[in-house]
Amino acid sequence: MTGVRETRPRAARRWAIDVRPLRVPAYRRLWLGNTVAMFGFQFTAVAVPVEMYALTRDSFWVGLLGVAAFVPLLIFGLWGGAVADARDRRAVLLGGSLLLWASTLGLLLQAVLDVGSPVLLLALMALQSVAFAISSPARSAMLPRLVPEDLVASATTLNYTTFTAASVAGPLAAGLILSASPDTTVVLPIAYGLDAVLFTAMLWAALRLPSLPPEPTADGQARRAGLASVVDGFRYLATTPVLLLSFGVDLIAMILAMPRALFPEIAHERFGGGGSVGLLYSAIAIGSMIGGLTSGWIGRLRRQGLGLVLAVVGWGLAIAAAGLAHQLWLMVVLLAVAGAADLISAVLRQSMLLVYAPDRMRGRLQGVNTVVVAGGPRLGDLRAGTMAAGFGGGVAWVAGGLASAVLVVVLAVAFPALLRYRAATASSDNRT
Protein backbone atom coordinates (compact mmCIF):
# COMPACT_ATOMS: atom_id res chain seq x y z
CA MET A 1 0.00 0.00 0.00
CA THR A 2 2.90 2.33 0.71
CA GLY A 3 4.22 1.71 -2.78
CA VAL A 4 0.86 2.67 -4.28
CA ARG A 5 0.70 5.89 -2.28
CA GLU A 6 4.17 6.87 -3.53
CA THR A 7 3.51 5.92 -7.15
CA ARG A 8 0.43 8.05 -7.59
CA PRO A 9 2.14 11.39 -6.84
CA ARG A 10 4.94 10.44 -9.24
CA ALA A 11 2.40 9.64 -11.96
CA ALA A 12 0.63 12.92 -11.34
CA ARG A 13 3.91 14.84 -11.53
CA ARG A 14 4.74 13.19 -14.84
CA TRP A 15 1.65 14.81 -16.35
CA ALA A 16 1.16 17.99 -14.30
CA ILE A 17 2.73 21.26 -15.40
CA ASP A 18 6.15 22.01 -13.87
CA VAL A 19 6.02 25.20 -11.76
CA ARG A 20 9.63 25.16 -10.49
CA PRO A 21 10.65 28.21 -12.60
CA LEU A 22 8.35 30.35 -10.43
CA ARG A 23 10.84 29.92 -7.59
CA VAL A 24 13.18 32.29 -9.47
CA PRO A 25 12.15 35.85 -8.39
CA ALA A 26 13.08 37.64 -11.65
CA TYR A 27 11.23 35.11 -13.78
CA ARG A 28 8.27 35.11 -11.40
CA ARG A 29 7.85 38.90 -11.74
CA LEU A 30 8.12 38.74 -15.52
CA TRP A 31 5.65 35.87 -15.66
CA LEU A 32 3.16 37.69 -13.45
CA GLY A 33 3.39 41.01 -15.30
CA ASN A 34 3.12 39.34 -18.68
CA THR A 35 0.14 37.24 -17.60
CA VAL A 36 -1.83 40.25 -16.36
CA ALA A 37 -0.93 42.28 -19.44
CA MET A 38 -1.90 39.48 -21.81
CA PHE A 39 -5.27 39.14 -20.10
CA GLY A 40 -5.87 42.83 -20.78
CA PHE A 41 -4.61 42.55 -24.34
CA GLN A 42 -7.38 40.07 -25.15
CA PHE A 43 -9.94 42.86 -24.70
CA THR A 44 -8.27 44.76 -27.53
CA ALA A 45 -7.75 41.61 -29.61
CA VAL A 46 -11.52 41.05 -29.64
CA ALA A 47 -12.62 44.68 -29.70
CA VAL A 48 -10.61 45.75 -32.76
CA PRO A 49 -12.03 43.19 -35.25
CA VAL A 50 -15.51 43.64 -33.76
CA GLU A 51 -15.20 47.40 -34.22
CA MET A 52 -13.90 46.95 -37.77
CA TYR A 53 -16.76 44.62 -38.70
CA ALA A 54 -19.28 46.99 -37.12
CA LEU A 55 -17.89 49.85 -39.21
CA THR A 56 -17.64 48.00 -42.53
CA ARG A 57 -19.82 44.85 -42.31
CA ASP A 58 -17.11 43.17 -44.40
CA SER A 59 -14.74 40.35 -43.33
CA PHE A 60 -12.27 41.57 -45.95
CA TRP A 61 -11.64 44.69 -43.86
CA VAL A 62 -11.22 42.48 -40.80
CA GLY A 63 -8.64 40.52 -42.77
CA LEU A 64 -6.81 43.75 -43.63
CA LEU A 65 -6.04 44.10 -39.92
CA GLY A 66 -3.73 41.15 -40.48
CA VAL A 67 -1.86 43.00 -43.23
CA ALA A 68 -1.53 46.13 -41.09
CA ALA A 69 0.02 44.04 -38.33
CA PHE A 70 2.19 41.75 -40.47
CA VAL A 71 4.20 44.32 -42.44
CA PRO A 72 5.63 46.01 -39.31
CA LEU A 73 6.26 42.58 -37.79
CA LEU A 74 8.28 41.53 -40.81
CA ILE A 75 10.47 44.64 -40.68
CA PHE A 76 10.74 45.42 -37.00
CA GLY A 77 10.64 41.83 -35.74
CA LEU A 78 13.95 41.03 -37.43
CA TRP A 79 15.47 44.35 -36.39
CA GLY A 80 14.12 43.96 -32.86
CA GLY A 81 15.85 40.59 -32.61
CA ALA A 82 19.16 42.14 -33.66
CA VAL A 83 18.70 44.91 -31.08
CA ALA A 84 18.01 42.30 -28.39
CA ASP A 85 21.40 40.71 -29.16
CA ALA A 86 23.25 44.05 -29.15
CA ARG A 87 21.62 45.98 -26.28
CA ASP A 88 20.48 45.42 -22.71
CA ARG A 89 17.42 43.20 -23.16
CA ARG A 90 15.70 44.74 -20.15
CA ALA A 91 15.95 48.21 -21.72
CA VAL A 92 14.69 46.92 -25.08
CA LEU A 93 11.71 45.23 -23.40
CA LEU A 94 10.85 48.38 -21.46
CA GLY A 95 11.04 50.63 -24.53
CA GLY A 96 8.88 48.34 -26.63
CA SER A 97 6.37 47.98 -23.80
CA LEU A 98 5.98 51.75 -23.46
CA LEU A 99 5.27 52.03 -27.19
CA LEU A 100 2.74 49.21 -26.97
CA TRP A 101 1.00 50.99 -24.11
CA ALA A 102 0.85 54.19 -26.18
CA SER A 103 -0.85 52.36 -29.06
CA THR A 104 -3.49 51.01 -26.67
CA LEU A 105 -4.13 54.53 -25.39
CA GLY A 106 -4.60 55.58 -29.02
CA LEU A 107 -7.27 52.93 -29.52
CA LEU A 108 -8.99 54.11 -26.36
CA LEU A 109 -8.94 57.74 -27.52
CA GLN A 110 -10.42 57.03 -30.97
CA ALA A 111 -13.18 54.96 -29.36
CA VAL A 112 -14.01 57.68 -26.84
CA LEU A 113 -14.15 60.29 -29.60
CA ASP A 114 -16.15 57.91 -31.84
CA VAL A 115 -13.90 58.62 -34.83
CA GLY A 116 -15.28 55.64 -36.76
CA SER A 117 -12.36 55.36 -39.21
CA PRO A 118 -11.30 51.92 -40.51
CA VAL A 119 -8.06 53.46 -41.79
CA LEU A 120 -7.20 54.79 -38.33
CA LEU A 121 -7.82 51.35 -36.87
CA LEU A 122 -5.38 49.89 -39.39
CA ALA A 123 -2.77 52.53 -38.50
CA LEU A 124 -3.07 51.91 -34.77
CA MET A 125 -2.80 48.17 -35.30
CA ALA A 126 0.40 48.78 -37.30
CA LEU A 127 1.85 50.84 -34.44
CA GLN A 128 0.92 48.14 -31.95
CA SER A 129 2.63 45.60 -34.17
CA VAL A 130 5.83 47.68 -34.28
CA ALA A 131 5.89 47.79 -30.49
CA PHE A 132 5.28 44.06 -30.17
CA ALA A 133 8.02 43.31 -32.73
CA ILE A 134 10.54 45.30 -30.68
CA SER A 135 9.67 43.90 -27.25
CA SER A 136 8.87 40.26 -28.00
CA PRO A 137 12.35 39.00 -29.10
CA ALA A 138 13.96 40.54 -26.03
CA ARG A 139 11.34 39.06 -23.69
CA SER A 140 11.79 35.57 -25.15
CA ALA A 141 15.57 35.65 -25.57
CA MET A 142 16.18 36.63 -21.93
CA LEU A 143 14.53 33.47 -20.60
CA PRO A 144 17.66 31.23 -20.50
CA ARG A 145 19.44 33.95 -18.49
CA LEU A 146 16.66 34.14 -15.92
CA VAL A 147 16.25 30.41 -15.20
CA PRO A 148 18.66 27.42 -15.29
CA GLU A 149 18.94 25.65 -18.63
CA ASP A 150 17.18 22.53 -17.37
CA LEU A 151 14.11 24.67 -16.55
CA VAL A 152 13.88 26.48 -19.92
CA ALA A 153 11.34 24.03 -21.34
CA SER A 154 9.26 24.23 -18.16
CA ALA A 155 9.38 28.04 -18.17
CA THR A 156 8.40 28.05 -21.85
CA THR A 157 5.43 25.81 -21.10
CA LEU A 158 4.39 28.04 -18.19
CA ASN A 159 4.53 31.09 -20.45
CA TYR A 160 2.36 29.49 -23.10
CA THR A 161 -0.07 28.01 -20.61
CA THR A 162 -0.68 31.20 -18.69
CA PHE A 163 -0.92 33.10 -21.96
CA THR A 164 -3.64 30.73 -23.11
CA ALA A 165 -5.38 30.97 -19.74
CA ALA A 166 -5.48 34.72 -20.24
CA SER A 167 -6.69 34.11 -23.77
CA VAL A 168 -9.59 32.10 -22.37
CA ALA A 169 -10.69 34.51 -19.68
CA GLY A 170 -9.98 37.67 -21.68
CA PRO A 171 -12.18 37.03 -24.73
CA LEU A 172 -14.96 35.65 -22.54
CA ALA A 173 -14.90 38.83 -20.47
CA ALA A 174 -14.64 40.92 -23.64
CA GLY A 175 -17.61 39.10 -25.11
CA LEU A 176 -19.67 39.88 -22.01
CA ILE A 177 -18.71 43.55 -22.20
CA LEU A 178 -19.39 43.85 -25.93
CA SER A 179 -22.74 42.11 -25.59
CA ALA A 180 -23.82 44.34 -22.69
CA SER A 181 -24.97 47.06 -25.05
CA PRO A 182 -25.60 47.28 -28.82
CA ASP A 183 -24.05 50.75 -28.70
CA THR A 184 -20.35 50.26 -29.54
CA THR A 185 -19.55 53.82 -28.46
CA VAL A 186 -20.27 52.64 -24.91
CA VAL A 187 -18.66 49.20 -24.77
CA LEU A 188 -15.54 49.70 -26.91
CA PRO A 189 -13.97 52.38 -24.66
CA ILE A 190 -14.46 50.06 -21.69
CA ALA A 191 -12.62 47.23 -23.45
CA TYR A 192 -9.71 49.41 -24.56
CA GLY A 193 -9.55 51.15 -21.18
CA LEU A 194 -9.25 47.88 -19.28
CA ASP A 195 -6.39 46.84 -21.55
CA ALA A 196 -4.55 50.11 -20.90
CA VAL A 197 -4.89 49.77 -17.12
CA LEU A 198 -3.85 46.11 -16.95
CA PHE A 199 -0.83 46.64 -19.19
CA THR A 200 0.84 48.65 -16.45
CA ALA A 201 1.69 45.29 -14.84
CA MET A 202 4.06 44.61 -17.73
CA LEU A 203 5.74 47.97 -17.26
CA TRP A 204 6.24 47.17 -13.55
CA ALA A 205 7.75 43.77 -14.37
CA ALA A 206 10.17 45.23 -16.93
CA LEU A 207 11.32 47.89 -14.46
CA ARG A 208 12.02 45.24 -11.79
CA LEU A 209 14.15 43.00 -14.03
CA PRO A 210 17.91 42.91 -13.56
CA SER A 211 20.13 44.43 -16.22
CA LEU A 212 20.72 41.95 -19.07
CA PRO A 213 23.50 43.36 -21.27
CA PRO A 214 24.82 41.28 -24.18
CA GLU A 215 27.54 38.78 -23.37
CA PRO A 216 31.02 39.90 -24.49
CA THR A 217 32.18 38.84 -27.95
CA ALA A 218 35.32 36.80 -28.53
CA ASP A 219 37.20 39.84 -29.87
CA GLY A 220 35.80 42.21 -27.23
CA GLN A 221 34.06 44.44 -29.78
CA ALA A 222 30.53 45.74 -29.26
CA ARG A 223 27.75 44.14 -31.26
CA ARG A 224 25.81 46.23 -33.78
CA ALA A 225 22.10 45.98 -34.50
CA GLY A 226 22.27 46.64 -38.22
CA LEU A 227 21.44 44.81 -41.42
CA ALA A 228 24.65 42.79 -41.25
CA SER A 229 23.59 41.44 -37.86
CA VAL A 230 20.21 40.37 -39.25
CA VAL A 231 21.90 38.67 -42.21
CA ASP A 232 24.26 36.89 -39.81
CA GLY A 233 21.25 35.50 -37.97
CA PHE A 234 19.73 34.15 -41.18
CA ARG A 235 23.10 32.67 -42.13
CA TYR A 236 23.17 30.79 -38.85
CA LEU A 237 19.57 29.65 -39.27
CA ALA A 238 20.38 28.31 -42.74
CA THR A 239 22.77 25.83 -41.13
CA THR A 240 19.96 24.27 -39.06
CA PRO A 241 17.45 22.67 -41.45
CA VAL A 242 15.37 21.25 -38.60
CA LEU A 243 14.64 24.77 -37.32
CA LEU A 244 13.87 25.95 -40.86
CA LEU A 245 11.39 23.11 -41.32
CA SER A 246 9.81 23.80 -37.93
CA PHE A 247 9.18 27.39 -39.03
CA GLY A 248 7.83 26.13 -42.36
CA VAL A 249 5.19 23.81 -40.93
CA ASP A 250 4.08 26.50 -38.50
CA LEU A 251 3.67 29.05 -41.29
CA ILE A 252 1.57 26.59 -43.29
CA ALA A 253 -0.66 25.94 -40.29
CA MET A 254 -1.17 29.59 -39.41
CA ILE A 255 -1.62 31.00 -42.91
CA LEU A 256 -3.96 28.31 -44.21
CA ALA A 257 -5.80 27.15 -41.09
CA MET A 258 -6.20 30.20 -38.83
CA PRO A 259 -9.95 31.05 -38.90
CA ARG A 260 -9.76 34.03 -36.53
CA ALA A 261 -10.82 36.68 -39.06
CA LEU A 262 -14.00 34.67 -39.72
CA PHE A 263 -15.18 34.60 -36.11
CA PRO A 264 -17.29 37.80 -36.23
CA GLU A 265 -19.03 36.70 -39.44
CA ILE A 266 -19.64 33.11 -38.35
CA ALA A 267 -20.82 34.19 -34.90
CA HIS A 268 -23.26 36.61 -36.50
CA GLU A 269 -24.59 34.24 -39.19
CA ARG A 270 -24.72 30.92 -37.33
CA PHE A 271 -25.18 31.86 -33.69
CA GLY A 272 -26.83 35.29 -33.70
CA GLY A 273 -23.81 37.27 -32.52
CA GLY A 274 -23.75 38.43 -28.90
CA GLY A 275 -21.47 36.55 -26.54
CA SER A 276 -20.81 33.77 -29.07
CA VAL A 277 -17.94 35.74 -30.63
CA GLY A 278 -16.16 35.75 -27.26
CA LEU A 279 -16.56 31.97 -27.00
CA LEU A 280 -15.04 31.49 -30.45
CA TYR A 281 -12.08 33.70 -29.64
CA SER A 282 -11.58 31.79 -26.36
CA ALA A 283 -12.02 28.26 -27.68
CA ILE A 284 -8.54 27.69 -29.11
CA ALA A 285 -6.99 29.08 -25.94
CA ILE A 286 -9.16 26.78 -23.79
CA GLY A 287 -7.63 23.78 -25.51
CA SER A 288 -4.12 25.21 -25.22
CA MET A 289 -4.62 25.82 -21.52
CA ILE A 290 -5.79 22.26 -20.92
CA GLY A 291 -2.87 20.98 -22.98
CA GLY A 292 -0.46 23.07 -20.92
CA LEU A 293 -1.84 21.91 -17.58
CA THR A 294 -1.22 18.30 -18.64
CA SER A 295 2.13 19.01 -20.33
CA GLY A 296 4.53 17.17 -18.02
CA TRP A 297 5.15 14.56 -20.73
CA ILE A 298 6.33 17.05 -23.36
CA GLY A 299 9.73 17.57 -21.74
CA ARG A 300 10.39 13.81 -21.89
CA LEU A 301 9.46 13.47 -25.56
CA ARG A 302 12.42 12.10 -27.52
CA ARG A 303 11.04 12.21 -31.08
CA GLN A 304 10.32 15.90 -30.99
CA GLY A 305 10.30 16.32 -34.77
CA LEU A 306 7.64 13.68 -35.28
CA GLY A 307 5.66 15.10 -32.37
CA LEU A 308 5.77 18.55 -33.96
CA VAL A 309 4.52 17.27 -37.33
CA LEU A 310 1.69 15.26 -35.76
CA ALA A 311 0.63 18.23 -33.65
CA VAL A 312 0.48 20.57 -36.65
CA VAL A 313 -1.46 18.04 -38.75
CA GLY A 314 -3.87 17.57 -35.84
CA TRP A 315 -4.36 21.34 -35.72
CA GLY A 316 -5.38 21.50 -39.39
CA LEU A 317 -7.81 18.58 -39.19
CA ALA A 318 -9.46 19.87 -36.02
CA ILE A 319 -9.86 23.35 -37.55
CA ALA A 320 -11.48 21.87 -40.67
CA ALA A 321 -13.90 19.84 -38.56
CA ALA A 322 -14.81 22.91 -36.50
CA GLY A 323 -15.70 24.79 -39.67
CA LEU A 324 -18.35 22.18 -40.45
CA ALA A 325 -20.05 22.54 -37.05
CA HIS A 326 -23.35 24.41 -36.76
CA GLN A 327 -23.74 23.95 -33.01
CA LEU A 328 -21.81 26.43 -30.90
CA TRP A 329 -20.75 23.88 -28.27
CA LEU A 330 -19.37 21.52 -30.95
CA MET A 331 -17.44 24.27 -32.68
CA VAL A 332 -15.93 25.34 -29.35
CA VAL A 333 -14.90 21.74 -28.51
CA LEU A 334 -13.22 21.20 -31.89
CA LEU A 335 -11.42 24.53 -31.70
CA ALA A 336 -10.22 23.53 -28.24
CA VAL A 337 -8.78 20.29 -29.67
CA ALA A 338 -6.93 22.41 -32.22
CA GLY A 339 -5.66 24.62 -29.39
CA ALA A 340 -4.20 21.65 -27.52
CA ALA A 341 -2.33 20.60 -30.66
CA ASP A 342 -1.07 24.16 -31.09
CA LEU A 343 0.29 24.25 -27.53
CA ILE A 344 2.31 21.09 -28.14
CA SER A 345 3.81 22.38 -31.39
CA ALA A 346 4.62 25.79 -29.89
CA VAL A 347 6.43 24.37 -26.86
CA LEU A 348 8.49 21.95 -28.94
CA ARG A 349 9.54 24.60 -31.45
CA GLN A 350 10.38 27.27 -28.85
CA SER A 351 12.35 24.87 -26.66
CA MET A 352 14.51 23.89 -29.64
CA LEU A 353 15.25 27.55 -30.36
CA LEU A 354 16.13 28.54 -26.80
CA VAL A 355 18.21 25.53 -25.77
CA TYR A 356 20.28 24.85 -28.89
CA ALA A 357 20.96 28.39 -30.09
CA PRO A 358 23.90 30.26 -28.49
CA ASP A 359 23.03 33.35 -26.44
CA ARG A 360 24.59 35.66 -29.02
CA MET A 361 22.01 34.41 -31.58
CA ARG A 362 18.92 34.04 -29.41
CA GLY A 363 17.58 37.53 -29.99
CA ARG A 364 17.81 37.27 -33.77
CA LEU A 365 16.28 33.81 -33.85
CA GLN A 366 13.49 35.04 -31.59
CA GLY A 367 13.04 37.92 -34.03
CA VAL A 368 12.47 35.40 -36.81
CA ASN A 369 10.19 33.46 -34.46
CA THR A 370 8.21 36.63 -33.77
CA VAL A 371 7.69 37.16 -37.49
CA VAL A 372 6.56 33.57 -37.95
CA VAL A 373 4.42 33.16 -34.82
CA ALA A 374 2.79 36.59 -34.84
CA GLY A 375 2.96 37.30 -38.56
CA GLY A 376 1.68 33.92 -39.75
CA PRO A 377 -1.76 34.29 -38.15
CA ARG A 378 -2.07 37.80 -39.56
CA LEU A 379 -1.39 36.53 -43.05
CA GLY A 380 -3.95 33.88 -42.16
CA ASP A 381 -6.41 36.67 -41.37
CA LEU A 382 -5.87 38.11 -44.84
CA ARG A 383 -6.18 34.70 -46.48
CA ALA A 384 -9.39 33.90 -44.60
CA GLY A 385 -10.95 37.31 -45.20
CA THR A 386 -10.13 37.25 -48.93
CA MET A 387 -11.48 33.71 -49.41
CA ALA A 388 -14.59 34.54 -47.39
CA ALA A 389 -15.30 37.52 -49.65
CA GLY A 390 -15.21 35.26 -52.70
CA PHE A 391 -16.51 31.89 -51.49
CA GLY A 392 -18.13 32.48 -48.08
CA GLY A 393 -16.87 32.05 -44.54
CA GLY A 394 -17.62 28.32 -44.28
CA VAL A 395 -15.63 27.39 -47.40
CA ALA A 396 -12.72 29.63 -46.37
CA TRP A 397 -12.63 27.95 -42.96
CA VAL A 398 -12.86 24.25 -43.96
CA ALA A 399 -10.71 24.40 -47.09
CA GLY A 400 -7.92 26.13 -45.22
CA GLY A 401 -7.79 23.50 -42.49
CA LEU A 402 -7.69 20.60 -44.93
CA ALA A 403 -5.07 22.24 -47.14
CA SER A 404 -2.89 22.88 -44.09
CA ALA A 405 -2.90 19.24 -42.96
CA VAL A 406 -2.12 17.94 -46.46
CA LEU A 407 0.73 20.38 -47.14
CA VAL A 408 2.41 19.71 -43.79
CA VAL A 409 2.45 15.97 -44.54
CA VAL A 410 3.88 16.65 -48.01
CA LEU A 411 6.61 18.91 -46.59
CA ALA A 412 7.55 16.44 -43.85
CA VAL A 413 7.80 13.55 -46.31
CA ALA A 414 9.74 15.56 -48.89
CA PHE A 415 12.23 16.81 -46.27
CA PRO A 416 12.44 14.04 -43.63
CA ALA A 417 15.05 15.78 -41.44
CA LEU A 418 12.29 17.05 -39.18
CA LEU A 419 10.69 13.61 -38.83
CA ARG A 420 14.07 12.12 -37.90
CA TYR A 421 14.90 14.79 -35.35
CA ARG A 422 15.27 13.64 -31.75
CA ALA A 423 15.99 15.52 -28.54
CA ALA A 424 19.74 15.99 -28.12
CA THR A 425 19.76 14.43 -24.67
CA ALA A 426 17.75 11.61 -23.17
CA SER A 427 14.65 12.81 -21.39
CA SER A 428 14.45 12.19 -17.69
CA ASP A 429 11.99 13.08 -15.02
CA ASN A 430 14.08 14.95 -12.47
CA ARG A 431 11.06 15.62 -10.30
CA THR A 432 10.42 12.02 -9.28
Side-chain angles (χ1 to χ4, degrees):
M1 293 299 292
T2 301
V4 173
R5 285 195 298 271
E6 292 177 352
T7 300
R8 286 177 179 172
R10 287 197 189 98
R13 287 195 296 268
R14 291 176 65 87
W15 287 96
I17 190 170
D18 186 358
V19 297
R20 288 178 298 165
L22 294 177
R23 299 173 186 171
V24 181
Y27 171 77
R28 184 171 62 246
R29 285 192 292 268
L30 181 63
W31 170 83
L32 179 60
N34 194 50
T35 299
V36 174
M38 288 311 302
F39 172 73
F41 176 75
Q42 301 310 312
F43 289 88
T44 292
V46 175
V48 170
V50 168
E51 181 176 5
M52 182 66 83
Y53 189 73
L55 291 174
T56 65
R57 293 296 175 184
D58 190 346
S59 286
F60 177 73
W61 275 94
V62 180
L64 286 179
L65 291 170
V67 178
F70 176 73
V71 174
L73 273 176
L74 182 61
I75 299 172
F76 289 94
L78 300 176
W79 177 75
V83 171
D85 281 338
R87 301 286 185 268
D88 187 321
R89 287 171 180 163
R90 171 186 175 273
V92 176
L93 174 61
L94 183 58
S97 298
L98 286 169
L99 185 59
L100 190 58
W101 193 41
S103 68
T104 304
L105 293 175
L107 287 167
L108 171 61
L109 184 61
Q110 65 87 31
V112 170
L113 297 177
D114 193 21
V115 176
S117 170
V119 175
L120 180 59
L121 275 182
L122 293 175
L124 288 170
M125 285 302 295
L127 178 62
Q128 190 174 79
S129 184
V130 169
F132 178 80
I134 293 171
S135 61
S136 182
R139 183 172 55 248
S140 299
M142 67 175 60
L143 186 59
R145 293 177 63 179
L146 297 180
V147 300
E149 184 174 296
D150 64 323
L151 293 181
V152 168
S154 298
T156 299
T157 306
L158 269 171
N159 287 346
Y160 277 111
T161 304
T162 51
F163 164 74
T164 54
S167 300
V168 172
L172 287 174
L176 291 175
I177 291 173
L178 295 174
S179 63
S181 171
D183 187 357
T184 57
T185 62
V186 174
V187 294
L188 287 174
I190 296 175
Y192 295 134
L194 285 171
D195 183 11
V197 171
L198 292 173
F199 192 78
T200 57
M202 186 67 243
L203 300 178
W204 165 80
L207 284 169
R208 294 293 305 277
L209 284 173
S211 179
L212 296 168
E215 294 182 348
T217 59
D219 56 10
Q221 295 183 354
R223 296 196 181 107
R224 299 183 181 275
L227 179 60
S229 179
V230 175
V231 172
D232 189 37
F234 277 111
R235 191 177 293 120
Y236 172 82
L237 184 59
T239 65
T240 55
V242 169
L243 296 182
L244 283 174
L245 289 167
S246 72
F247 284 137
V249 297
D250 188 70
L251 277 173
I252 290 172
M254 294 297 101
I255 294 174
L256 294 181
M258 174 55 74
R260 188 174 54 189
L262 305 174
F263 288 166
E265 177 181 342
I266 296 299
H268 176 74
E269 291 184 353
R270 296 189 188 180
F271 311 119
S276 61
V277 69
L279 285 171
L280 294 184
Y281 276 104
S282 296
I284 292 176
I286 290 173
S288 294
M289 182 180 66
I290 295 172
L293 293 174
T294 56
S295 62
W297 60 275
I298 297 179
R300 299 188 303 275
L301 187 63
R302 287 280 291 150
R303 301 205 57 182
Q304 293 182 344
L306 177 60
L308 176 59
V309 171
L310 291 176
V312 176
V313 171
W315 156 271
L317 294 177
I319 289 294
L324 296 172
H326 285 261
Q327 295 80 33
L328 181 59
W329 69 268
L330 180 58
M331 183 173 285
V332 169
V333 168
L334 291 170
L335 287 174
V337 172
D342 185 53
L343 182 281
I344 296 168
S345 69
V347 169
L348 290 176
R349 187 180 61 256
Q350 180 75 330
S351 296
M352 292 176 192
L353 281 175
L354 289 175
V355 171
Y356 299 111
D359 184 75
R360 65 183 179 84
M361 285 289 176
R362 283 178 184 144
R364 280 164 283 185
L365 289 181
Q366 289 304 318
V368 176
N369 193 50
T370 297
V371 173
V372 172
V373 173
R378 286 163 173 80
L379 286 179
D381 290 342
L382 177 62
R383 191 279 315 169
T386 303
M387 282 192 68
F391 304 100
V395 173
W397 187 320
V398 176
L402 292 176
S404 168
V406 171
L407 284 179
V408 167
V409 171
V410 170
L411 183 66
V413 172
F415 303 95
L418 186 58
L419 290 174
R420 292 197 299 260
Y421 178 82
R422 294 173 182 266
T425 57
S427 299
S428 61
D429 190 353
N430 297 323
R431 289 172 286 162
T432 55

